[in-house]
Amino acid sequence: TSGDIILNGVGVTQGAGSAINAGSGTILIDGGISGSNATILLSGDLSTTNNTATAITIRDSTSLTLPGITASNGTVVIGVGADITGPGTQAAGKTITASTLTVSTDDAVTLTETNAVTNLGAVVTGGNFSLTDAGGLTLSGASNVTGTYTISTSGTLALAGQDITATGNVSLTGSGVTQGAGSEVNAGSGDILVDGNGGTINIETLYAGLPYITLLGNNYVSRVGASLLHQIGHPELIAKTEEAYV
């Protein structure tokens, strides 16, 4: 069968043996009614072949536990207008397979199972954001995170022309990391780590004449940005104190 599925309640739960399949329809899980919302705790599976920007939407909750999600042709939406107010995690062993993933929450989001996301769209969180991916990931939207920002993929990580803004450490790991000339990575006073895992690192903002300012720290991670600036002949952009950085 095929058709849109809408599950709406003051909180929504799903057992580990439950499977929700919308065929080519969309799936909406909404944990709030009339201004009241509660926990969404999903431990089973959601799947659709829908290819739209709302293939699977999970929204309007306090804390969130995500099930196995398959939307290979469409977009998985986690939160709308930051209407998930508590932390978001994944049920153990459950992964997200999606053409595109977007996130909008008011707390931390931790997606560290072995997910298979092709494109990471807009990300807005009120806490740390972490995504583990297999096969390669392209940013198709800007990220704005209050906290740390961590992406790790076994394939190429392509920032394209998208910005990443965080208030804590930024860690970008892939089998090669590329960045378009219009992209800016800003960790505030945090550190930036770019790890190519032996692949090519192509930070095009540097080659385009758009170097960044970095704050020198005492560990390896905090010195990566400084090392890149030294290599391109701009040591004056390396601040040795927080006062100089500001």
Side-chain angles (χ1 to χ4, degrees):
T1 61
S2 178
D4 295 344
I5 295 174
I6 300 174
L7 302 175
N8 186 201
V10 182
V12 180
T13 65
Q14 179 193 33
S18 168
I20 299 171
N21 187 339
S24 61
T26 63
I27 298 174
L28 169 63
I29 309 290
D30 189 333
I33 295 178
S34 300
S36 298
N37 60 6
T39 297
I40 293 179
L41 174 57
L42 308 175
S43 302
D45 295 285
L46 309 177
S47 62
T48 180
T49 61
N50 187 272
N51 63 2
T52 70
T54 56
I56 296 179
T57 301
I58 302 172
R59 61 172 301 183
D60 205 7
S61 73
T62 51
S63 61
L64 170 66
T65 301
L66 293 168
I69 296 175
T70 301
S72 302
N73 303 317
T75 298
V76 173
V77 178
I78 300 175
V80 176
D83 62 1
I84 296 173
T85 58
T89 60
Q90 294 180 276
K94 296 296 185 177
T95 64
I96 299 171
T97 299
S99 174
T100 302
L101 171 68
T102 69
V103 178
S104 179
T105 77
D106 199 36
D107 207 321
V109 175
T110 305
L111 307 175
T112 50
E113 298 292 335
T114 307
N115 302 293
V117 176
T118 303
N119 301 287
L120 181 62
V123 173
V124 178
T125 65
N128 299 337
F129 176 75
S130 180
L131 173 65
T132 300
D133 175 76
L137 181 69
T138 298
L139 269 62
S140 58
S143 295
N144 197 319
V145 170
T146 303
T148 62
Y149 183 90
T150 304
I151 292 180
S152 177
T153 180
S154 60
T156 299
L157 174 58
L159 307 187
Q162 304 301 327
D163 294 340
I164 298 171
T165 304
T167 60
N169 296 345
V170 173
S171 177
L172 305 171
T173 302
S175 182
V177 180
T178 66
Q179 180 190 35
S183 166
E184 178 183 1
V185 179
N186 185 340
S189 61
D191 303 324
I192 298 175
L193 168 64
V194 180
D195 185 348
N197 270 334
T200 298
I201 296 178
N202 185 0
I203 307 298
E204 293 188 14
T205 54
L206 299 181
Y207 299 111
L210 300 171
Y212 50 82
I213 299 172
T214 190
L215 176 63
L216 184 65
N218 296 318
N219 56 41
Y220 169 78
V221 172
S222 66
R223 291 178 179 269
V224 171
S227 175
L228 290 171
L229 288 172
H230 268 298
Q231 291 179 41
I232 65 169
H234 285 286
E236 74 278 5
L237 297 178
I238 303 169
K240 295 181 173 61
T241 66
E242 291 189 3
E243 290 76 12
Y245 180 82
V246 174

